[in-house]
Amino acid sequence: MKKIFTFTILGGLLIVLLTSITEIPPLGEEKNPAYNEVSEYYVNESAQDTGAQNIIAAIITDYRAFDTLGETTVLFTGIAAVTAMIGVSHDKGKKEDQEHHG
């Protein structure tokens, strides 16, 4: 009974997924959600709004500064966690070697 329920749920999700995929507009079509007024505004007004010569730098540092700060924070936190774990495992290995040889 549990397997039938699981397959029914998975089948329903598959149908929803396939139906959604058929509704996505083709890449490059103007109805595509990626082509909206925000990107046009960035291209047309970024030099005037920010004074930056480079559109990409203007978008990253002025329009999306908080988003970039958040991404940088996540990356820094991940690097700090990995570094801390490497240090802990390295210290643990030294202690085990001292106990066996000491």
Side-chain angles (χ1 to χ4, degrees), residues 17-91:
L17 177 68
L18 292 175
T19 305
S20 300
I21 289 173
T22 61
E23 296 296 319
I24 295 175
L27 186 64
E29 186 175 307
E30 287 187 22
K31 290 184 350 185
N32 196 323
Y35 299 107
N36 59 29
E37 63 276 353
V38 175
S39 59
E40 290 177 23
Y41 180 82
Y42 285 167
V43 170
N44 296 330
E45 305 295 330
S46 64
Q48 223 174 7
D49 286 352
T50 64
Q53 303 247 339
N54 186 336
I55 293 176
I56 303 300
I59 291 170
I60 291 173
T61 58
D62 289 333
Y63 293 124
R64 299 186 54 136
F66 286 117
D67 184 44
T68 303
L69 178 65
E71 292 169 359
T72 305
T73 303
V74 168
L75 289 172
F76 176 76
T77 305
I79 291 169
V82 168
T83 304
M85 294 303 295
I86 289 172
V88 167
S89 66
H90 183 68
D91 290 341

